[in-house]
Amino acid sequence: MTVAAIENLQMIEQSAKDFAEQHIRPDMMEWDEKQHFPVDLMHKLGEQGFLGVLVPEEYGGAGLGYQEYISVIVEIAKVCSSIGLSVAAHNSLCTGHILAFGNEEQKKKYLPLLATGEWIGAWGLTEPNTGSDAGRMKCVAEKDGDHYVLNGAKNWITHGKSGNVAVVIARTGELLDSHGMTAFIVERGTPGFSAGKKENKLGMRASETAEMIFDNCRIHESQMLGKEGDGFIQAMKVLDGGRISIAALSLGIAKGAYEASVKYAKERHQFGKPIASFQGISFKIADMATKIQAAELLTRQAADMKNKGQKMTKESAIAKYYASEICVEISTDAVQIHGGYGYTKDFPVEKFYRDSKLCTIGEGTSEIQKLVISREILKGNI
């Protein structure tokens, strides 16, 4: 990177850090306790350009790349990973799908609303009985003249209740046919589109996760993204970028837990000296720092390839797999370093601990990442 690019990245990092300290930290524990999704905060994030990081300026976005995007997610997640998750999902899934596969009319209509935070986006692939096995989805879109009629449900959807618009992948062909699914843009308020159960979660509690229900929901064919049958292929490409988002989210959690641990280890005294001076603690901190640096390098590498338009299915899966696993390890060690205090809500590490686990599950479990990585490595060789 050039000196100017590095300075610009540092400026964006500082902007995200300042925003998180001013607008997120004061209320994050109350939001977590109440499972409150702060819609007003999302609008403020949009005003600052954090909800349209990758969207070109002509559509109301910040017009930045994946390195800047990673930095925004990391700095927000270091303070509150719930908000980091919502920012990541909004940017990379709903907004990202329309940006990548929408026609010019769709981009002009929806991207300015999403990039500025006037509207909040949702993205629907997962169903109650089809998580990783998306080929067996039961949410069906049947052609009826110049409309499609949607019936079925999507669950585990970030912003499934509060989102103003959703990109929904529905089956338009046969089961298990990778060309039998199609993506549609569905606006909140469309007859037959409603919110279902809101999940009561272990962590990421301020990021809304809810069911979306479609009951004879009529969608005009102009709301289709790309061509009929392209939905699954589009979704897989969207998830390539989405894995970078979760890697960045994981990195933010890991850094937040690590920084809290270093601070505590220096301040907490036992046997007449700070616990940081004990090898058992100092070695944990050394392991944390090493894992974080490795995770960041993998994540930045995948982002660089994404910026260059290179295929990075394997690299994004590796980054997501490694970063999510080490964020769980680091947040666990952070609680251990804090001892009894780490188990209380007076210190931030118990929240990092609860929030971290989702990173090994969302947008493809660690097991699915291993499957993606191994298939990419062994493709054509077995």
Short mmCIF file of all heavy atoms in Angstrom, two decimals, residues 23-51:
data_model
loop_
_atom_site.label_atom_id
_atom_site.label_comp_id
_atom_site.label_asym_id
_atom_site.label_seq_id
_atom_site.Cartn_x
_atom_site.Cartn_y
_atom_site.Cartn_z
N HIS A 23 -20.93 6.52 20.41
CA HIS A 23 -22.33 6.16 20.17
C HIS A 23 -22.71 4.72 20.56
O HIS A 23 -23.90 4.41 20.62
CB HIS A 23 -22.68 6.37 18.69
CG HIS A 23 -22.56 7.79 18.23
ND1 HIS A 23 -23.46 8.77 18.60
CD2 HIS A 23 -21.62 8.39 17.45
CE1 HIS A 23 -23.10 9.92 18.05
NE2 HIS A 23 -21.99 9.72 17.34
N ILE A 24 -21.71 3.85 20.78
CA ILE A 24 -22.02 2.45 21.05
C ILE A 24 -21.68 2.04 22.48
O ILE A 24 -22.52 1.46 23.18
CB ILE A 24 -21.29 1.53 20.05
CG1 ILE A 24 -21.75 1.82 18.62
CG2 ILE A 24 -21.54 0.06 20.39
CD1 ILE A 24 -21.00 1.05 17.54
N ARG A 25 -20.48 2.35 22.94
CA ARG A 25 -20.06 1.88 24.25
C ARG A 25 -21.00 2.28 25.39
O ARG A 25 -21.29 1.44 26.28
CB ARG A 25 -18.63 2.35 24.56
CG ARG A 25 -18.06 1.66 25.81
CD ARG A 25 -16.64 2.04 26.10
NE ARG A 25 -15.68 1.60 25.09
CZ ARG A 25 -15.21 0.38 24.99
NH1 ARG A 25 -15.63 -0.57 25.83
NH2 ARG A 25 -14.33 0.07 24.06
N PRO A 26 -21.52 3.52 25.43
CA PRO A 26 -22.36 3.90 26.58
C PRO A 26 -23.61 3.04 26.77
O PRO A 26 -24.10 2.88 27.89
CB PRO A 26 -22.75 5.36 26.25
CG PRO A 26 -21.66 5.85 25.36
CD PRO A 26 -21.29 4.67 24.53
N ASP A 27 -24.15 2.47 25.68
CA ASP A 27 -25.44 1.77 25.78
C ASP A 27 -25.37 0.28 25.44
O ASP A 27 -26.38 -0.41 25.50
CB ASP A 27 -26.46 2.43 24.83
CG ASP A 27 -26.71 3.88 25.17
OD1 ASP A 27 -27.05 4.15 26.33
OD2 ASP A 27 -26.55 4.73 24.28
N MET A 28 -24.19 -0.22 25.10
CA MET A 28 -24.12 -1.57 24.55
C MET A 28 -24.57 -2.66 25.52
O MET A 28 -25.21 -3.64 25.12
CB MET A 28 -22.70 -1.88 24.06
CG MET A 28 -21.65 -1.93 25.13
SD MET A 28 -20.05 -2.41 24.46
CE MET A 28 -19.16 -2.75 25.97
N MET A 29 -24.28 -2.51 26.81
CA MET A 29 -24.68 -3.53 27.76
C MET A 29 -26.19 -3.54 27.99
O MET A 29 -26.79 -4.60 28.15
CB MET A 29 -23.93 -3.36 29.09
CG MET A 29 -22.45 -3.69 29.00
SD MET A 29 -22.10 -5.33 28.26
CE MET A 29 -22.84 -6.42 29.46
N GLU A 30 -26.79 -2.35 27.96
CA GLU A 30 -28.25 -2.28 28.09
C GLU A 30 -28.91 -2.94 26.87
O GLU A 30 -29.89 -3.68 27.01
CB GLU A 30 -28.70 -0.83 28.21
CG GLU A 30 -30.21 -0.68 28.38
CD GLU A 30 -30.66 0.76 28.50
OE1 GLU A 30 -29.80 1.66 28.59
OE2 GLU A 30 -31.90 0.99 28.49
N TRP A 31 -28.38 -2.66 25.69
CA TRP A 31 -28.91 -3.31 24.48
C TRP A 31 -28.77 -4.82 24.57
O TRP A 31 -29.68 -5.55 24.20
CB TRP A 31 -28.18 -2.80 23.24
CG TRP A 31 -28.34 -1.34 22.95
CD1 TRP A 31 -29.38 -0.53 23.34
CD2 TRP A 31 -27.44 -0.51 22.21
NE1 TRP A 31 -29.17 0.75 22.88
CE2 TRP A 31 -28.00 0.80 22.19
CE3 TRP A 31 -26.23 -0.73 21.56
CZ2 TRP A 31 -27.36 1.86 21.54
CZ3 TRP A 31 -25.60 0.32 20.92
CH2 TRP A 31 -26.16 1.60 20.90
N ASP A 32 -27.64 -5.26 25.07
CA ASP A 32 -27.38 -6.70 25.19
C ASP A 32 -28.36 -7.35 26.17
O ASP A 32 -28.94 -8.40 25.88
CB ASP A 32 -25.94 -6.92 25.66
CG ASP A 32 -25.57 -8.40 25.77
OD1 ASP A 32 -25.29 -9.02 24.73
OD2 ASP A 32 -25.58 -8.92 26.90
N GLU A 33 -28.53 -6.72 27.33
CA GLU A 33 -29.42 -7.28 28.35
C GLU A 33 -30.86 -7.38 27.85
O GLU A 33 -31.55 -8.36 28.08
CB GLU A 33 -29.38 -6.40 29.60
CG GLU A 33 -28.05 -6.44 30.36
CD GLU A 33 -27.89 -7.71 31.17
OE1 GLU A 33 -28.90 -8.40 31.41
OE2 GLU A 33 -26.75 -8.01 31.55
N LYS A 34 -31.30 -6.35 27.12
CA LYS A 34 -32.70 -6.28 26.68
C LYS A 34 -32.92 -6.89 25.29
O LYS A 34 -34.05 -6.91 24.81
CB LYS A 34 -33.17 -4.82 26.68
CG LYS A 34 -33.20 -4.19 28.07
CD LYS A 34 -33.67 -2.74 27.99
CE LYS A 34 -33.75 -2.10 29.37
NZ LYS A 34 -34.18 -0.67 29.31
N GLN A 35 -31.85 -7.36 24.66
CA GLN A 35 -31.92 -7.82 23.27
C GLN A 35 -32.55 -6.75 22.38
O GLN A 35 -33.39 -7.04 21.52
CB GLN A 35 -32.70 -9.13 23.16
CG GLN A 35 -31.96 -10.33 23.68
CD GLN A 35 -32.41 -11.62 23.04
OE1 GLN A 35 -31.80 -12.11 22.11
NE2 GLN A 35 -33.49 -12.18 23.55
N HIS A 36 -32.12 -5.53 22.59
CA HIS A 36 -32.67 -4.40 21.84
C HIS A 36 -31.81 -4.12 20.62
O HIS A 36 -30.60 -3.89 20.74
CB HIS A 36 -32.72 -3.16 22.74
CG HIS A 36 -33.07 -1.89 22.00
ND1 HIS A 36 -34.31 -1.68 21.46
CD2 HIS A 36 -32.32 -0.79 21.70
CE1 HIS A 36 -34.33 -0.50 20.86
NE2 HIS A 36 -33.13 0.06 21.00
N PHE A 37 -32.43 -4.13 19.46
CA PHE A 37 -31.73 -3.77 18.23
C PHE A 37 -31.88 -2.27 18.00
O PHE A 37 -32.99 -1.79 17.74
CB PHE A 37 -32.30 -4.56 17.05
CG PHE A 37 -31.73 -4.15 15.71
CD1 PHE A 37 -30.35 -4.10 15.52
CD2 PHE A 37 -32.56 -3.82 14.65
CE1 PHE A 37 -29.82 -3.73 14.29
CE2 PHE A 37 -32.04 -3.45 13.42
CZ PHE A 37 -30.68 -3.40 13.24
N PRO A 38 -30.80 -1.49 18.11
CA PRO A 38 -30.90 -0.03 18.03
C PRO A 38 -31.00 0.49 16.60
O PRO A 38 -30.00 0.81 15.95
CB PRO A 38 -29.60 0.43 18.71
CG PRO A 38 -28.62 -0.66 18.44
CD PRO A 38 -29.42 -1.94 18.40
N VAL A 39 -32.21 0.56 16.10
CA VAL A 39 -32.45 1.01 14.72
C VAL A 39 -31.91 2.42 14.51
O VAL A 39 -31.32 2.72 13.46
CB VAL A 39 -33.95 0.93 14.39
CG1 VAL A 39 -34.23 1.55 13.02
CG2 VAL A 39 -34.43 -0.52 14.41
N ASP A 40 -32.11 3.29 15.50
CA ASP A 40 -31.62 4.67 15.37
C ASP A 40 -30.11 4.71 15.18
O ASP A 40 -29.59 5.56 14.45
CB ASP A 40 -32.01 5.50 16.60
CG ASP A 40 -33.50 5.79 16.66
OD1 ASP A 40 -34.17 5.59 15.62
OD2 ASP A 40 -33.99 6.19 17.73
N LEU A 41 -29.40 3.82 15.85
CA LEU A 41 -27.95 3.76 15.70
C LEU A 41 -27.57 3.36 14.27
O LEU A 41 -26.60 3.89 13.70
CB LEU A 41 -27.35 2.75 16.68
CG LEU A 41 -25.83 2.56 16.54
CD1 LEU A 41 -25.10 3.77 17.09
CD2 LEU A 41 -25.38 1.28 17.24
N MET A 42 -28.34 2.46 13.67
CA MET A 42 -28.06 2.05 12.30
C MET A 42 -28.17 3.24 11.35
O MET A 42 -27.37 3.39 10.43
CB MET A 42 -29.01 0.92 11.88
CG MET A 42 -28.79 -0.39 12.62
SD MET A 42 -27.20 -1.18 12.25
CE MET A 42 -27.52 -1.82 10.60
N HIS A 43 -29.15 4.09 11.60
CA HIS A 43 -29.29 5.29 10.77
C HIS A 43 -28.06 6.19 10.93
O HIS A 43 -27.57 6.75 9.95
CB HIS A 43 -30.56 6.04 11.14
CG HIS A 43 -31.84 5.28 10.89
ND1 HIS A 43 -32.00 4.48 9.78
CD2 HIS A 43 -32.99 5.20 11.59
CE1 HIS A 43 -33.22 3.93 9.80
NE2 HIS A 43 -33.83 4.34 10.90
N LYS A 44 -27.57 6.33 12.16
CA LYS A 44 -26.36 7.13 12.40
C LYS A 44 -25.14 6.53 11.72
O LYS A 44 -24.31 7.24 11.16
CB LYS A 44 -26.10 7.26 13.91
CG LYS A 44 -27.09 8.13 14.67
CD LYS A 44 -26.75 8.16 16.16
CE LYS A 44 -27.78 8.97 16.93
NZ LYS A 44 -27.51 8.92 18.39
N LEU A 45 -25.05 5.20 11.76
CA LEU A 45 -23.95 4.51 11.08
C LEU A 45 -24.00 4.79 9.58
O LEU A 45 -22.97 4.99 8.93
CB LEU A 45 -24.04 3.01 11.33
CG LEU A 45 -23.58 2.53 12.71
CD1 LEU A 45 -24.18 1.17 13.05
CD2 LEU A 45 -22.05 2.44 12.77
N GLY A 46 -25.22 4.82 9.04
CA GLY A 46 -25.38 5.12 7.63
C GLY A 46 -24.96 6.54 7.28
O GLY A 46 -24.33 6.78 6.25
N GLU A 47 -25.29 7.46 8.17
CA GLU A 47 -24.92 8.86 7.95
C GLU A 47 -23.41 9.04 7.91
O GLU A 47 -22.90 9.93 7.23
CB GLU A 47 -25.52 9.74 9.05
CG GLU A 47 -27.04 9.86 8.97
CD GLU A 47 -27.63 10.48 10.24
OE1 GLU A 47 -26.85 10.91 11.12
OE2 GLU A 47 -28.87 10.54 10.34
N GLN A 48 -22.70 8.18 8.63
CA GLN A 48 -21.23 8.24 8.66
C GLN A 48 -20.58 7.47 7.51
O GLN A 48 -19.36 7.45 7.38
CB GLN A 48 -20.72 7.68 10.00
CG GLN A 48 -21.08 8.53 11.21
CD GLN A 48 -20.44 9.91 11.14
OE1 GLN A 48 -19.26 10.05 10.89
NE2 GLN A 48 -21.25 10.94 11.37
N GLY A 49 -21.39 6.80 6.70
CA GLY A 49 -20.86 6.05 5.57
C GLY A 49 -20.50 4.62 5.88
O GLY A 49 -19.96 3.90 5.02
N PHE A 50 -20.81 4.14 7.09
CA PHE A 50 -20.40 2.80 7.50
C PHE A 50 -21.34 1.70 6.99
O PHE A 50 -21.03 0.52 7.15
CB PHE A 50 -20.29 2.71 9.02
CG PHE A 50 -19.23 3.62 9.60
CD1 PHE A 50 -19.46 4.31 10.78
CD2 PHE A 50 -18.01 3.78 8.97
CE1 PHE A 50 -18.50 5.15 11.32
CE2 PHE A 50 -17.03 4.61 9.50
CZ PHE A 50 -17.27 5.30 10.67
N LEU A 51 -22.46 2.08 6.40
CA LEU A 51 -23.39 1.06 5.88
C LEU A 51 -23.33 0.95 4.36
O LEU A 51 -24.06 0.16 3.77
CB LEU A 51 -24.82 1.36 6.33
CG LEU A 51 -25.07 1.29 7.84
CD1 LEU A 51 -26.55 1.42 8.14
CD2 LEU A 51 -24.52 0.00 8.45
#
